Amino acid sequence: MKVTSVNLETVCGITSTLPDNDKVEIAFAGRSNVGKSSLINALMNRKSYARTSGQPGKTQTINFYNINEQLYFVDLPGYGYAKVSQETVKKWGKMIDRYLERSKVLRLIFLLVDIRHKPNQNDIQMYEWCVNYGFNPVVIATKSDKIKRSQRKKQLQQIKDALQVVEGTPVIPFSALDKSGREEIWEYIDMMYEGFEEERK
């Protein structure tokens, strides 16, 4: 799919009512500063439409990006950010939980983890959460340019083992710097979009 138009259509805070969308939703989850906004910008071919920040915990809302009037990218709040109160963290958790439970058109979740590090308890919990809601997340191993190519296989295996991914789950290395992995990610989005459109016929 060639991206010709992008519109940040809905921003939902902790007390907001979630939109009742009729187009397929693709959600992006990951801990703070894992590179979610950078990935979304790369997929949209926009330099800084989704706000990136060196300061973790920047995305504190659920942001719905309307792509080509065909589908939505849904940017979920980054989790595991230490500098906010536990009460706020719980509220963010409830907000994500509410979204996963209530969206009628969510079909695909990308779970982002940093390729350099073993997934932590928050990542494992998020993965399990998605699976419990009936989703099989595609895992994106971000910042792949930060390690040597020879280390990738080992790091990807470490991610699979820590998350105990369902057999056959894709784990895609991605770099916001050279955009490697972008086309492969788009293949899954296109496939999900086409499947959703078939469902509606």
Side-chain angles (χ1 to χ4, degrees):
M1 185 181 290
K2 188 179 178 199
V3 177
T4 54
S5 71
V6 175
N7 177 28
L8 176 55
E9 194 172 282
T10 314
V11 176
C12 290
I14 287 164
T15 57
S16 305
T17 303
L18 291 164
D20 187 15
N21 291 326
D22 61 352
K23 300 173 185 69
V24 68
E25 292 174 353
I26 314 288
F28 297 81
R31 68 175 182 254
S32 298
N33 228 20
V34 76
K36 231 166 3 85
S37 298
S38 297
L39 170 62
I40 292 169
N41 283 327
L43 292 172
M44 297 191 302
N45 271 337
R46 302 293 191 274
K47 276 195 175 156
S48 56
Y49 202 96
R51 282 168 301 183
T52 57
S53 171
Q55 179 191 348
K58 201 73 181 164
T59 306
Q60 300 178 12
T61 51
I62 300 180
N63 299 333
F64 292 80
Y65 295 93
N66 185 329
I67 311 294
N68 291 354
E69 296 293 329
Q70 290 175 292
L71 57 89
Y72 287 98
F73 283 174
V74 183
D75 187 6
L76 300 173
Y79 54 79
Y81 178 48
K83 287 190 182 174
V84 294
S85 69
Q86 277 305 108
E87 190 186 344
T88 305
V89 168
K90 275 183 187 163
K91 281 179 181 170
W92 287 353
K94 279 183 185 164
M95 186 161 61
I96 295 170
D97 194 35
R98 189 162 53 105
Y99 169 67
L100 294 179
E101 186 180 14
R102 294 189 187 176
S103 174
K104 298 186 187 85
V105 288
L106 175 61
R107 292 293 181 275
L108 176 62
I109 299 172
F110 289 113
L111 177 62
L112 281 66
V113 295
D114 189 325
I115 199 168
R116 298 170 299 177
H117 309 297
K118 185 178 177 180
N120 66 15
Q121 201 50 47
N122 286 319
D123 297 318
I124 294 165
Q125 191 178 9
M126 189 70 213
Y127 182 80
E128 289 172 352
W129 223 359
C130 294
V131 171
N132 287 340
Y133 275 113
F135 296 99
N136 185 10
V138 171
V139 181
I140 311 290
T142 62
K143 311 193 183 190
S144 64
D145 54 279
K146 307 274 190 197
I147 62 169
K148 290 179 184 156
R149 197 170 276 274
S150 58
Q151 295 175 296
R152 278 190 195 175
K153 194 175 175 186
K154 175 175 160 268
Q155 292 303 106
L156 293 175
Q157 192 58 52
Q158 178 177 257
I159 290 167
K160 287 179 185 177
D161 293 344
L163 294 177
Q164 295 186 321
V165 296
V166 175
E167 196 172 336
T169 296
V171 181
I172 304 168
F174 171 76
S175 163
L177 199 66
D178 61 21
K179 308 293 185 287
S180 58
R182 181 182 180 277
E183 296 309 313
E184 198 178 340
I185 295 164
W186 258 116
E187 279 173 25
Y188 283 97
I189 297 169
D190 285 335
M191 197 164 58
M192 205 50 69
Y193 168 72
E194 283 158 21
F196 181 78
E197 289 301 301
E198 279 298 314
E199 257 180 63
R200 297 208 298 181
K201 282 180 183 174

